[in-house]
Amino acid sequence: MRSKIFFLLIIMPFFCFAQKIKENHSTQILKCSTCHSCDVPTKENPCIKPCPREKIISIDQLPEEGPNVLTIDKFKKQTDVYEPVIFSHRLHAEMSGMGGGCKMCHHYNPPGRVIGCSDCHELTRKREDVSKPDLKGAYHRQCIDCHRLWSGKVECLNCHQLKNSKTKTDISTIVKKNGKRIHPQIITPAIVKFDTPKAAGKLVTFYHLEHTDLFSIDCSKCHKNESCSKCHAKDLVTLKAGKTLEQKHLICSNCHNTKQACSYCHLNTVKPGFNHKERTGFDIDKYHGKLKCVRCHTTKEKFTGLRGDCSSCHGIWTHENFRHKITGIALDENHSSLECTDCHQEKNYANPTCSNCHEDKSFPKFFPGNFIKKR
Amino acid sequence: MAAQTRRDFFKTSALLGTAISGISNKQIKAQSKNILSENRMGVLVDTTACIGCRKCEWACKTAHNLPTLPVEEYDDRTVFKKMRRPDDKALTVVNEYQNSTKFPINVKVQCMHCDQPACVSACIVGAFTKKENSSVIWDTNKCIGCRYCMVACPFQIPAFEYEEALKPDIKKCDFCFDLTKKGKIPACVEICPVEAITYGRREDLIKAAREKIKNYPTRYVNHIYGEYEVGGTSWMYISSKDFLQLAFPKLGRDPAPGVSEAIQHGIFAYFVPPIALYALLGGVMWLNKNRKKTESETEI
Ligand code: SF4
Ligand code: SF4
Ligand code: SF4
């Protein structure tokens, strides 16, 4: 009988898991092999891969969607040394937002919902599956690395109160206090200027907002695995000073050639911001100024390869599919049925030629319709 | 009733045997064959996870009724300035080694509970036993204080309590045999906050360790210390640094010398006349026969 119950307990999570995920499978673009080890996973044998960490598709929530404060008292029965820990979940979620969000801690994060630690890590230390730490181990491993970097300490009393301590604070007081703790909003700086020790080109101007908003680079692309200690480390100055040249350039070298093209960033004056016309010859201010780069340069972070030729993005224009009004000129009857190429020989549809039909007319002296106010 | 009588008779003869040779029949059975069960337990120490909180030291002392400071005193990291060894006051200690990356490396030291324990074979009175669940334990009443085990152990683990000159007592990690025989886990394993020390079937632990090394090749050196050293140990280690730099002895795969000689050792050291030996062996056979019978009797 006991073995039957045990068997049920073992297989139940698989069924629950399968149920939970089911509705999401159809809506996600997923490769079976991301989660399953066999070709044909069935309900009976889902052959789910063990903890695929970074490779798994992750969902993200806003900090306020998760719990505010957690009281970790799952180990009450096992240990009588410490009081339960009050964990300011929201505060921590907000802090991790820049470095990668939920998945910084919820490293097994399949589509559907954010999975809590105790869904995978067993409560009992004496167990069969020793391939991953038990719950107590998992909790501590998750906390300790950041806390150690941040405060330089691993003392238990930083988070735990001794049960028999005379000076201990009432649990409900701590819960209340932590409920109010939120991290101040992290504001993306527009420009950061770095004073570097480089003799020729002391100043590096970093257009932060441009990188995040215009170039659509995710925070976590650069602030990868950054813990709170990035800003809060006890010894921030030494932490920074101890970096090698390579480490200092690490983030930029994701995209820029930091080994050779020094003068691209290192100047003696403040570098002007990004200007599409100057860099490529194609003036985007007229019609494309409000677009993010990725609207046209669809491979993110690789902004090359377009031909300055409208059809790169817009396909072939004809008199039927192009609303000429948008240019500020509403074509008159004579002109509206002509093919675009009858007047525009250039691929970027710049200034029209009238001489194909009208020997004595030229643009912009004459208009092929009415000049109207632009849209 | 008949069985009862036989058992009584046996008890007397066993007592007699013990009196003559100092070796109980139980001991002979354990030593003549080193039972290495497939399901024997072990511990995998992940030195990359250990944070040097020394709670294991506290738990070990508490579980063994050794005098200890209050638990919060173990947060004191100044003890790491000196390299320490397990001794009669502390059956396990944690040391710290400096490291070029973020954090120093902490290494917990205790008896390795060898699969082919040199201490067991070195003991001339057979006070040591390797238990089926892996623990290498000893019988205080038998120990005569010769310290052969200290010399034989490749990890220099057994220590002695010298305070009582006439009654020396071995002190070493016993893998918390009193707990494990009741199905519990060792005290140090129980308390470790990060589960840097994982208790489980030795085979499973090796599999898990291999998997970790494979998945995180930059985090670990490709070596499970204790998998093969001196014929294999129950406590095994994985680490980010070469083990020699963490004060682990360099040992070959062969068991420590003399591992199979125990039984002769024990008997001849006491100059037991052959007659007594035969009498004793006869007694053992009687026991086995008798036990089989009682077992079959109870089964029916
Ligand atoms: S309790 Fe665990 S983490 Fe702490 S020192 Fe011992 S082995 Fe290391
Ligand atoms: S480490 Fe030493 S004391 Fe422990 S079992 Fe091995 S030989 Fe015996
Ligand atoms: S297994 Fe038991 S005796 Fe050995 S070090 Fe751990 S707590 Fe101490």
Side-chain angles (χ1 to χ4, degrees), chain B residues 60 194 201 213 234:
Chain B
C60 180
V194 287
R201 277 182 72 234
I213 294 174
S234 311

mmCIF file of all heavy atoms in Angstrom, chain B residues 60 194 201 213 234:
data_model
loop_
_atom_site.group_PDB
_atom_site.id
_atom_site.type_symbol
_atom_site.label_atom_id
_atom_site.label_comp_id
_atom_site.label_asym_id
_atom_site.label_seq_id
_atom_site.Cartn_x
_atom_site.Cartn_y
_atom_site.Cartn_z
ATOM 1 N N CYS B 60 28.341 18.596 14.348
ATOM 2 C CA CYS B 60 29.085 17.371 14.640
ATOM 3 C C CYS B 60 29.370 17.274 16.134
ATOM 4 O O CYS B 60 29.157 16.248 16.753
ATOM 5 C CB CYS B 60 30.379 17.375 13.837
ATOM 6 S SG CYS B 60 31.384 15.910 14.101
ATOM 7 N N VAL B 194 23.847 25.196 2.545
ATOM 8 C CA VAL B 194 23.851 25.195 1.076
ATOM 9 C C VAL B 194 23.886 23.780 0.504
ATOM 10 O O VAL B 194 23.996 23.592 -0.692
ATOM 11 C CB VAL B 194 25.056 25.985 0.518
ATOM 12 C CG1 VAL B 194 24.854 27.451 0.712
ATOM 13 C CG2 VAL B 194 26.343 25.522 1.159
ATOM 14 N N ARG B 201 23.402 7.443 -2.060
ATOM 15 C CA ARG B 201 24.090 6.231 -2.498
ATOM 16 C C ARG B 201 25.371 6.653 -3.215
ATOM 17 O O ARG B 201 25.347 7.565 -4.039
ATOM 18 C CB ARG B 201 23.211 5.443 -3.460
ATOM 19 C CG ARG B 201 22.204 4.544 -2.801
ATOM 20 C CD ARG B 201 21.423 3.782 -3.840
ATOM 21 N NE ARG B 201 22.238 2.752 -4.486
ATOM 22 C CZ ARG B 201 22.402 2.636 -5.802
ATOM 23 N NH1 ARG B 201 21.818 3.472 -6.612
ATOM 24 N NH2 ARG B 201 23.144 1.661 -6.304
ATOM 25 N N ILE B 213 30.311 18.043 -13.482
ATOM 26 C CA ILE B 213 31.581 18.385 -14.126
ATOM 27 C C ILE B 213 31.373 18.560 -15.623
ATOM 28 O O ILE B 213 31.933 19.455 -16.243
ATOM 29 C CB ILE B 213 32.633 17.295 -13.826
ATOM 30 C CG1 ILE B 213 32.965 17.298 -12.330
ATOM 31 C CG2 ILE B 213 33.898 17.503 -14.648
ATOM 32 C CD1 ILE B 213 33.867 16.179 -11.886
ATOM 33 N N SER B 234 34.183 6.788 0.765
ATOM 34 C CA SER B 234 32.753 7.117 0.799
ATOM 35 C C SER B 234 32.537 8.619 0.706
ATOM 36 O O SER B 234 31.550 9.082 0.170
ATOM 37 C CB SER B 234 32.123 6.635 2.094
ATOM 38 O OG SER B 234 32.472 5.318 2.323
#
